[in-house]
Amino acid sequence: MTPAPSHYDLLIHGGTVIDGTKAPRFIADIGVIDGHIAAIGKLDGCTADRTLDATGRIVAPGFIDSHTHDDQAVLSQAAMPFKVSQGVTTVVAGNCGISAAPLRADMELPMPLSLIDSPAEGRFTTFKAYLDALRATPSSVNVAAMIGHSTLRALTMGDLDRPANEAEIAAMQAHVEEAMQAGAIGLSTGTFYPPAVKATTEEIIEVSRPLSKRSAVYVTHMRDEGDRVMEALEETFAIGRALDIPVVISHHKVMNAQNFGRSKVTLPFIKETMKHQCVSLDCYPYTAGSTMIRTDRGMLEGRVLIASSEPHPECAGRDLADIAKEWGVPNDEAARKLQPGSAIYFMMDEDDVQRVMAFDETMIGSDGIPLGDKPHPRLWGTFPRVLGHYSRDIGLFPLETAVWKMTGLTARNFGLHGRGTLKVGQHADIVIFDAATIRDAANYETPTKPAEGIDAVIVNGTITWHHGVHSGARSGQVITRRDKATAEAS
């Protein structure tokens, strides 16, 4: 056995390690050299360029946000304070069919593509160009990116209100192949949204063909999360089987009052399907979702809080019903006047949220939209909310399980090699927090308040957040997919 080094770039002393595997916690020191974990154990007498005292604190892998819309933010808001402040060291981008590339400068982006804030002068015509830009100007977090099916439809089709024809499918497939060669970890769809509503199952399968030989992941905001959620699950699983690839169900939920409690049906169906094919899922720990301002009745049944509005920015943070009353118009007409923009929709039942979150294989993702002054509080509070409110206060699951759901499980499901667990040789993505005080401070009234209880966040061995202050470090890396052959050889 090779002896542990005696000097480290960074030494984390005396912490209680929760390693991201669901194993019981243990007390140990962690030594970091060249951005990697070099030793875990009793490192008394060792020296270091910098030492952090983690006595009485939890030392865990940096959290991996399994579902983000940070595609453009990692370039335009590269410090990423809304993520590093809550312990996130890696984001999975390109969700819901929406990606930052490929795009043309002359394209007018339909909603919800425009929510990721892609300025025409900063667009990338290839996926490789996007990843190269991230490498040239690193973010404060690591980025694992997918290509979006809706983005491809907008790029290749003049009319989105129909299925793609053979030539358009071939063009989209070529872009997927380019993205796979560049290192995209998979492809996402958002058939719930207008740009992809008319896409057929067959279109999605054919566009996604390049994923098969690489076992890249297929991630989907399903066609329906309400009355027809079971049909949407069946379509999702059929796509995975046809392509023989892993499937991720994005932000699994059952929405609208008539469907409250249906997670008692969806989760057993998902669990049974997992016995036959590779399926995983994520969720966010809130009863409200957030997306583009919509006018369809199903989205306006509950409380709607406006997060941003281009024509009426003064309405951000206000309830749609109050705005409609003030304007003397029905809710749907008020919503139409507020478009384009984003809104927060209170449409889920707390029992369903807890049931989905407690499901053994559920990962944690924020689904936050980094846009405007009144975003959904999940953008700033998701991970501390799980650790504080749901794990510590409610006792939904042990802290070891909570950490696993946002680290090791996510790294495994997305194939993020070298991340997600604390062991020698892994990238030194680490968070140090106080299990007794960690909590989300962001709420719907003050949604951008940083979380409490996070002591330090380390990204690739560099201290990025310490005692509530961003260090200015931008040591994030681009995480690319490893092909099957590469993975098997290592």
Side-chain angles (χ1 to χ4, degrees), residues 229-454:
V229 64
M230 296 302 290
E231 293 173 43
L233 284 168
E234 288 170 354
E235 179 188 40
T236 297
F237 301 151
I239 291 168
R241 287 194 300 271
L243 295 167
D244 191 25
I245 55 175
V247 167
V248 178
I249 303 161
S250 292
H251 44 57
H252 182 49
K253 67 175 78 69
V254 283
M255 53 186 273
N256 299 329
Q258 68 270 24
N259 295 303
F260 288 177
R262 287 190 74 190
S263 59
K264 294 177 183 176
V265 179
T266 63
L267 291 173
F269 181 43
I270 293 168
K271 187 171 185 178
E272 180 60 30
T273 304
M274 285 175 168
K275 297 176 183 177
H276 310 288
Q277 64 184 105
C278 188
V279 174
S280 54
L281 69 160
D282 65 57
C283 76
Y284 48 80
Y286 299 85
T287 56
S290 181
T291 186
M292 59 187 277
I293 297 175
R294 299 188 63 142
T295 56
D296 38 319
R297 186 165 171 256
M299 296 296 290
L300 302 181
E301 289 179 2
R303 180 190 176 198
V304 179
L305 184 64
I306 300 302
S308 67
S309 168
E310 287 188 23
H312 295 281
E314 72 281 1
C315 290
R318 297 187 60 195
D319 276 37
L320 176 65
D322 293 340
I323 297 168
K325 184 177 180 181
E326 183 179 293
W327 290 353
V329 298
N331 283 7
D332 59 343
E333 186 175 337
R336 199 168 291 110
K337 289 176 179 290
L338 289 161
Q339 292 174 330
S342 59
I344 297 166
Y345 301 87
F346 295 80
M347 56 188 178
M348 289 170 279
D349 178 67
E350 176 67 18
D351 287 346
D352 283 317
V353 170
Q354 291 192 28
R355 197 174 293 118
V356 172
M357 201 185 317
F359 183 69
D360 283 348
E361 297 292 316
T362 301
M363 303 175 287
I364 304 300
S366 70
D367 195 16
I369 302 171
L371 188 68
D373 297 326
K374 292 289 184 178
H376 192 301
R378 64 191 182 185
L379 181 67
W380 287 80
T382 289
F383 293 85
R385 182 171 175 79
V386 173
L387 296 168
H389 179 65
Y390 284 104
S391 178
R392 180 190 63 228
D393 299 343
I394 290 181
L396 194 60
F397 32 60
L399 191 58
E400 285 84 351
T401 298
V403 169
W404 174 71
K405 285 175 171 289
M406 51 184 72
T407 59
L409 177 63
T410 313
R412 184 197 76 189
N413 289 341
F414 284 95
L416 309 182
H417 179 72
R419 315 276 175 177
T421 57
L422 297 181
K423 66 179 182 180
V424 173
Q426 295 282 82
H427 293 270
D429 296 336
I430 302 169
V431 59
I432 303 171
F433 65 91
D434 185 346
T437 64
I438 191 168
R439 75 175 190 96
D440 56 314
N443 56 41
Y444 295 103
E445 288 71 40
T446 54
T448 61
K449 291 185 72 173
E452 298 174 4
I454 300 283

Side-chain angles (χ1 to χ4, degrees), residues 19-32:
D19 67 5
T21 68
K22 278 205 296 191
R25 66 192 75 182
F26 58 94
I27 295 175
D29 306 323
I30 297 179
V32 175

Side-chain angles (χ1 to χ4, degrees), residues 199-238:
T200 63
T201 305
E202 293 72 24
E203 173 188 320
I204 294 167
I205 290 170
E206 292 308 314
V207 168
S208 303
R209 287 288 179 195
L211 277 63
S212 293
K213 63 183 177 182
R214 300 166 170 98
S215 287
V217 68
Y218 170 71
V219 179
T220 182
H221 180 154
M222 299 190 305
R223 208 174 287 274
D224 197 296
E225 296 173 314
D227 297 347
R228 302 180 69 178
V229 64
M230 296 302 290
E231 293 173 43
L233 284 168
E234 288 170 354
E235 179 188 40
T236 297
F237 301 151

